[in-house]
Every structure is written in C-alpha cells, then in structure tokens.
Amino acid sequence: MSTPNEPVSNPPPAPSDFIRDIVAAHVAEKKYPKIVTRFPPEPNGYLHIGHPKSICLNFGIAREFGGVCNLRMDDTNPTKEDVEYVDSIIEDVNWLIAGWADKNLGLTKDSKPFYASDYFDQIYEFAIALIKKGKAFVCDMMPDQMDEYRRLGKASPFRDRSVEENLDLFTRMKAGEFPDGGRVLRAKIIVDAPNIWLRDPLLYRIKRADHHQTGGKWCIYPMYDFAHCLSDYLEGITHSICTLEFEVHRPLYDWILENLDLPRALPKQYEFAKLIPSHTIVSKRKLISLVQDKIVTGWDDPRMPTISGIRRRGVTAEALRRFAIGAGVTKFISLTDMAVFEQIIREDLNKRALRRLAVLRPIKVVITNFPEGKVEELDAVNNPEDESAGKRKIPFSRELFIERDDFQEIPPPKFFRLKPGGEVRLKYAYIIKCDEVVKDAAGNITELRCTADLDSKSGGATSARKVKGTIHWVSAAHALDAEVRLYDRLFTEAEPEKDGRDFKSVLNPRSLEVLTAKLEPSLKDARPEVRYQFERIGYFTLDKDSNSQKLIFNRTITLKDTWAKEAQKS
Ligand code: ATP
Ligand code: MG
C-alpha cells in the first residue's frame, strides 16, 4: 500500500513568464556563472498565503536553471522582529519546498539560512565608503521636519557638511553618543528628484533596541533600502525578484550599488504583482491583530491564511505550490479567487485521501432483523482513485449511527435518502427500510427501527437491486468518539477591506463549528501526516492537539464548493 502522504506528483513545470524569459536570456548569453536568487522575508510575522508565490518563483527559477536560492531574513528592524518568527519562517519554507526545490536551497557555511544582520559590519563599512566619497551625510533634522523637506524637495541645512564632520558624527552615532532618532545618515542624491526615494533617502537610524541576532551590539541600524541591495550583492545574487511596490525603490537600489565601486557583478531587481487571494488578507500587520485580539487561537489556527495554518488544516505542500505557481507571474495586480485554491486542494486530496466512514451528527438506527450480538466484518475500499491503497474491514452490527440529515420524516420531493417506509443503501452494506420512527416525550426522534434486506450486500442474491440513495453509517458499539473541527473561510466577503471597510466586520461567524462525531474504529490508528476523506462529508486530517485519549480531526475542505451555491442564491 502506498503511503497517502507521498507526493502524488510534482506540479508541471511553470509556464514561462517575463522574469523566466529574462533569466533564460541571461543563461543563454552566459552572463553569470550561476543563477542566484533569494527569498527575503522580514521576520516580523508568520509567512502568509501570498508568500508561496514568491518562494515558488525564486526557488523555481533556481531549480529550473541549475541555480541556488537563498533564504534570507531581512532583519533590519529589531523592534518588530522576533526569533519565534525566524523559526516559523525556516520551518514553513522547508516544508513548502521539501522534495521539490530543497536541493536548491542555499545555506551559509554552518548550514544556516542567511541573515541581513550578519552583514551589519560590512554594511557599516559601505556607509563609511559613501561618506568618504561625499555621497552620504549626517542630518540632524527632526523626523517630521525631514519628511516635510523631502516632500517639498528642499535641501537639508546639513547637506553640505564636510566629509570629516560626517565621519566624526557617524562614528559617534554608532558609539551611542546621541539619542534615538537624534540624527540619521542620508544618501546625497537629488533633493528634488521626481522619484521621492531619490530625495536624499535615509540610510541609517539610531535605535536602542536589542536585536534577536546581534543582541546589544548595535544602536544604529541600516534602513531596508540600504541593507537589501548590499545583502543581495554580498550573497552574489544575480536576480533580485520582489513585488511591485519595490519598483519605485529600484533607482535607489541601483544608485547605492553603482556608487560604491564594487568589484563584482551587481544584482538587478525585477518586480512582479503580488498574489492576493479573495476572502482573506495578506498583510502581516493585520494578521497579527487577529492573533492579538484572539479572533483566532494563534498564527497556526487552521483558519489563518498563514502557511502554518494552511498546513495544520491538512493542505499538502504540493497543493499549495500548485496554487502559487498556477497564479502566474505578471505585472498586473488582480484578485485570485479562493475557490481556485480550494479546488486544487480537493483534486490533490481526492487522489491521496483514505476513505473512511464518520457520522458527524448521529441518529441511532436499529436493524430489527439483525441478530443481537452478531458482528459482521465488511470490505471497504480505501481509495477508489488508487487501487494500491487496498481495502479494510468495517464492523456491521444491529445498532448503527447514520447522519441525522440523511433521514427526513416529512421528506421533500426527490429526497432519495431514508424516509418512513423508504429504502436506502448503507454504503458497503445492506439495503435497509425504515419501519418505525421512535420519539421521546418531547417529540424528538431518538431511534429509527429498520429492517435490512440481508441478501443485498455485495455478492448477495439481491445485491444488484437498485435503490436511489446510498448513505454512510458506523456501528454504534464500535464507533470512536472524536472532536471534529469544521473549518471554513474566515471572511464572508471576497474583498474584506473593500472601500476602506474594517476587515473584522466581515468575519465569518461560521468559520469554526466543533462537533463530537462517531468514527469507524480503524481511525484509532490515524496518523497526522495521512489525509482522510470522511465519505460524503469532506477531507479531514488529524490535528496536532490530538492524542490517544482524545482524537481531534480538522476539516481541510468540504467535498463540494458550498460557497458557489451561496453566491448564486444572493
Ligand atoms: P507584509 O506586507 O505582510 O508585511 P511583506 O511584503 O512586507 O508582507 P516580506 O517579509 O517583506 O513581507 O516579504 C518577503 C518577500 O515576499 C518579499 O520579496 C515580498 O515581495 C514577497 N511577498 C510578500 N507578499 C507577497 C504576496 N502577497 N505575493 C507574492 N509575494 C509576496
Ligand atoms: Mg516587506
């Protein structure tokens, strides 16, 4: 039997796109000895559903062109960053690329990912070099005033300080002689450039904060724009691929590198449009607030659009890669329908999930013509999509549970499940007929008394007899109790923030429903990495909080798209 968590297949090679075309041309002309890309998250939150697009693009290019992709922590802002985030990013990236592009992961000498903070000494020296060339100056203006001057395109009164004075002040900034925010180092470019990023932008600021990697060593930190291009250069990156919002920063990226007389080939920046799925948000700052406000149980709550939440929900890395790659690489900003992702998840799980019987909202059925105490072991296929998954035995006995919804006392027209006097097939078992509905004093149905056609199971004399409906069931005496968490989309609206709306006002009140379900006994051996289909219900996976005392299953996705129907109704 194959292991259901084995990759079914890797996604087909990504179709070419404008960035791959550029790389292919560079490879053809042998512009670089090796293609080196990077994925540079800032460790100020967990990776979200948009990041796999960037991960799959950068690692995909390395994979397709025989290159390397570095995972780099872009950690220049100590106050917002944390080792918890660093650790989660490493885990999530490794999970996503395992078996696909893990061979293309670039690592440092000691087998660690890269950190911009590892270059703080070198970046400081580059700042000194710019000062010495008269291309950077220390500015004493207060932040608000500096912003105002930059907006107006006015020169700072400190712009023409001598190289000696700048060197002295910058060294003293580093030595901790000035208060936080008291002085900054700025590039000396063009005070009224049409591109605001060239209006003498900030390179260094004073910030007394312990850094998760460098501790208390520094009280000055380089700005993102200064650190990023230099980190790329130091790592020998050839193609620095990022999202569109950095397009306006590109002239600054080039300016810094070009003004330092660097001996090796310079990296070049290329931009593409972000992946923005519907019915979700992709901003770490906003995701943090869902965690802090306890709207979810944590970053890896299975409703969170984070890689760790998606993983915990039971989605495979392969399905997530398929989605990220399938979104395509362009310069056009657009919304990708969440239904596309959900359909990919269904197709992926359909191929690998083991079929099991589970009753979420049970009602008791007594088969009056089946002997008390008798247990029959019936054959059930594990996966009709994969013969090698084999068969298993499920116990059948006189008392069963079926789904409450599968019985209607006063059925609507075309109701082909169980009804008084009606017949239905029990999956893998007999055709049964409902003879009697038993109720309690309050009128609630407590039991259905049925008779089975004992010749109607597979191989029996009447097994070919057709009835319109087939329903699932579990043997009452053998059933396992399990907590089942039914997860659904976190937001009811395609664009939670449309027209400036507060995204918390469109949270889906039904994003989680918790039930105690009845499961077929073979699920006591369920393993976390195995995917299951509870027949007729959906795809499920064991939750990490599950243990032998208490089984917990997460619903990854329903069998059918229930949202499309809703959308049609409204
Ligand atoms: P946020 O705004 O949520 O903080 P970010 O862009 O600041 O996200 P980073 O950690 O800087 O997050 O992102 C790391 C890399 O991933 C960057 O190169 C960025 O361009 C890319 N990226 C971020 N969001 C997306 C997205 N939605 N789709 C594709 N790539 C993305
Ligand atoms: Mg960013």
Side-chain angles (χ1 to χ4, degrees), residues 42 224 245-246 284:
E42 186 185 351
Y224 168 88
E245 70 272 24
F246 293 103
K284 284 183 268 181

Side-chain angles (χ1 to χ4, degrees), residues 175-213:
E177 285 190 30
F178 311 119
D180 282 14
R183 285 188 160 89
V184 295
L185 183 72
R186 296 175 64 178
K188 198 165 168 180
I189 310 181
I190 303 164
V191 291
D192 57 355
N195 180 338
I196 193 144
W197 297 100
L198 294 181
R199 295 184 186 176
D200 293 2
L202 269 68
L203 302 180
Y204 261 93
R205 64 214 189 283
I206 304 174
K207 199 174 233 178
R208 282 175 180 74
D210 267 6
H211 189 282
H212 50 100
Q213 302 298 319

Side-chain angles (χ1 to χ4, degrees), residues 30-41:
K30 299 194 168 58
K31 182 165 173 153
Y32 306 101
K34 186 182 207 160
I35 300 300
V36 188
T37 57
R38 86 283 173 271
F39 172 66

